[in-house]
């Protein structure tokens, strides 16, 4: 597939979300496997890696810095700041002072003097977005960051931010079973020349066929707290997964490859960053970038899996309050 761009720099349409190597979905891969996965990803053509300072409370950035020492010139590197975790306390701080402190800490862990893209992980409602973007613009001038990104924010917030400084990327969850970006953000990104970066493009493993028995998920798997995986909603959602997997089989691709192709078909300004702790899954996600989803298959997915057919919201009420994205009524 033809490369796409972030901040004018070409990247492959499928990048690597690195969170699963440090946190989120139960047991972590052994350190040697994680290091091998990162290097194998670069070897086969991945050139866009996405991390954040909170993934494993710095572990993920350290892992990338150590595993890919000497290969920094081979990939576009993105990280994030803004979410603060202190014990059981979780908050958001995108004040200028915090932004400056966090980039220096991230650069140290990543063993580099710059990142190509620096995101605000969430909107800080106590700080005007213009003030936060202004602070990030100073880091661009200093060469510590190549460009500015936003994560889980609305089209209105994007426009306000872009009035201060060009916004290179907006990162939000997007897959056939999470459609909120279609309300306004996808169009706003296209209008402003902002790349849309889709995280969880295989629906947190669901549309990769990787989740069937929710009860078997580890106690520390974040999906356990998500409404779509509870006893009330999961049976209906599993039925949709079965239909989706059957469609993938019809087209000779894996369910993950079908979901990724669907996401990328939604616009030339979209890139996807599936994450995994499995080398085999990482290779699978990248293996069919030569395949374009037929229009009839995309239409069948749209009819099959959408905001009306998926049971339950993507987040519970507490988590949803930290998100600035538009919601379906």
């Amino acid at each position: 597939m033809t490369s796409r761009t972030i901040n004018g720099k070409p990247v492959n349409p499928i990048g690597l979300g690195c969170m699963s190597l440090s946190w989120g979905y139960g047991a972590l891969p052994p350190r040697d496997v994680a290091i091998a996965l990162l290097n194998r990803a670069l070897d086969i053509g991945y050139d866009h890696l996405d991390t954040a300072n909170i993934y494993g409370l710095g572990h993920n950035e350290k892992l990338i810095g150590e595993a890919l020492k000497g290969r920094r010139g081979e990939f576009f590197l993105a990280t994030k700041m803004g979410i603060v975790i202190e014990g059981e306390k979780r908050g958001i701080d995108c004040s200028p002072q915090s932004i400056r402190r966090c980039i220096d800490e991230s650069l140290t862990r990543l063993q580099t003097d710059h990142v190509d893209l620096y995101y605000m992980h969430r909107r800080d409602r106590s700080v005007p977005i213009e003030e936060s973007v202004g602070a990030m613009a100073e880091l661009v001038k200093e060469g510590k960051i190549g460009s500015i990104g936003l994560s889980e924010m609305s089209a209105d917030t994007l426009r306000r931010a872009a009035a201060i400084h060009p916004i290179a990327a907006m990162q939000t969850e997007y897959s056939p079973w999470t459609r909120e970006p279609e309300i306004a953000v996808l169009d706003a990104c296209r209008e402003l020349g902002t790349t849309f970066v889709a995280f969880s493009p295989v629906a947190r493993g669901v549309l990769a066929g990787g989740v069937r028995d929710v009860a078997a998920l580890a106690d520390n798997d974040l999906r356990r707290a998500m409404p779509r995986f509870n006893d009330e909603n999961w049976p209906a959602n599993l039925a949709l997964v079965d239909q989706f997997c059957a469609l993938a089989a019809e087209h000779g691709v894996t369910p993950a490859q079908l979901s990724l192709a669907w996401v990328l078909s939604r616009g030339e300004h979209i890139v996807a960053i599936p994450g995994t702790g499995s080398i085999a899954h990482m290779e699978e996600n990248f293996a069919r970038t030569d395949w374009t989803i037929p229009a009839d298959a995309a239409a069948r997915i749209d009819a099959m899996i959408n905001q009306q057919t998926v049971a339950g919201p993507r987040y519970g009420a507490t988590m949803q309050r930290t998100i600035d994205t538009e919601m379906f009524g």
Side-chain angles (χ1 to χ4, degrees):
M1 181 175 285
T2 304
S3 64
R4 300 186 178 185
T5 62
I6 303 176
N7 192 37
K9 295 186 176 182
V11 295
N12 284 317
I14 295 176
L16 182 65
C18 298
M19 183 186 80
S20 302
L21 300 176
S22 300
W23 177 78
Y25 296 107
L28 301 179
R31 180 177 177 78
D32 61 334
V33 172
I35 290 172
L37 185 150
L38 289 167
N39 280 280
R40 175 64 177 159
L42 297 191
D43 291 343
I44 67 174
Y46 280 89
D47 59 7
H48 169 201
L49 303 187
D50 182 275
T51 183
N53 62 353
I54 65 157
Y55 296 163
L57 299 179
H59 175 274
N60 204 244
E61 290 181 327
K62 287 181 181 178
L63 177 68
I64 291 171
E66 294 169 9
L68 301 179
K69 190 184 303 183
R71 304 191 70 174
R72 177 67 184 88
E74 297 179 39
F75 59 96
F76 184 97
L77 177 60
T79 193
K80 312 176 195 72
M81 60 73 198
I83 299 177
V84 179
I85 298 177
E86 297 174 352
E88 297 299 314
K89 183 181 178 182
R90 182 183 175 110
I92 300 173
D93 186 352
C94 292
S95 64
Q97 300 93 323
S98 179
I99 290 170
R100 182 164 289 278
R101 181 183 70 253
C102 287
I103 187 58
D104 289 338
E105 293 170 349
S106 288
L107 293 177
T108 297
R109 288 189 290 263
L110 289 163
Q111 300 190 37
T112 186
D113 62 358
H114 76 285
V115 295
D116 299 291
L117 175 61
Y118 198 43
Y119 289 98
M120 273 183 274
H121 212 155
R122 295 290 186 273
R123 181 179 173 186
D124 184 345
R125 298 181 188 277
S126 70
V127 180
I129 190 68
E130 293 84 357
E131 187 175 330
S132 298
V133 171
M136 297 175 80
E138 290 299 314
L139 298 180
V140 173
K141 291 179 183 177
E142 294 170 20
K144 292 185 177 182
I145 70 176
S147 57
I148 297 172
L150 308 178
S151 178
E152 295 277 44
M153 299 192 199
S154 68
D156 178 67
T157 300
L158 172 59
R159 289 191 174 94
R160 286 175 55 190
I164 303 301
H165 189 279
I167 303 301
M170 170 70 84
Q171 183 174 147
T172 295
E173 183 175 355
Y174 188 44
S175 73
W177 91 330
T178 296
R179 301 294 193 102
E180 282 83 355
E182 295 174 0
I183 299 171
V185 166
L186 284 178
D187 286 342
C189 285
R190 186 182 291 108
E191 169 195 328
L192 294 168
T194 298
T195 302
F196 182 89
V197 179
F199 79 79
S200 293
V202 296
R204 301 188 184 275
V206 170
L207 295 184
V211 184
R212 297 200 64 82
D213 181 6
V214 172
L217 296 176
D219 291 342
N220 62 341
D221 191 307
L222 58 82
R223 291 169 291 194
R224 281 189 168 274
M226 295 178 173
R228 291 176 177 176
F229 296 89
N230 66 25
D231 291 342
E232 178 183 357
N233 294 321
W234 180 243
N237 290 331
L238 182 57
L240 296 177
V241 172
D242 289 338
Q243 295 175 53
F244 187 83
C245 290
L247 180 60
E250 284 182 36
H251 288 274
V253 295
T254 68
Q257 291 163 355
L258 179 62
S259 189
L260 289 166
W262 179 92
V263 169
L264 295 177
S265 75
R266 311 305 278 192
E268 293 296 320
H269 64 308
I270 298 172
V271 299
I273 51 167
T276 181
S278 161
I279 293 175
H281 290 165
M282 178 272 293
E283 293 176 338
E284 173 192 340
N285 290 338
F286 204 73
R288 292 307 309 271
T289 54
D290 62 327
W291 185 71
T292 299
I293 187 170
D296 65 322
R300 287 172 66 184
I301 291 171
D302 289 341
M304 179 193 308
I305 304 178
N306 55 60
Q307 65 272 17
Q308 280 81 39
T309 63
V310 174
R314 67 175 177 131
Y315 288 133
T318 299
M319 182 64 74
Q320 187 60 51
R321 282 194 288 272
T322 72
I323 306 300
D324 182 45
T325 53
E326 293 84 358
M327 294 178 62
F328 289 108

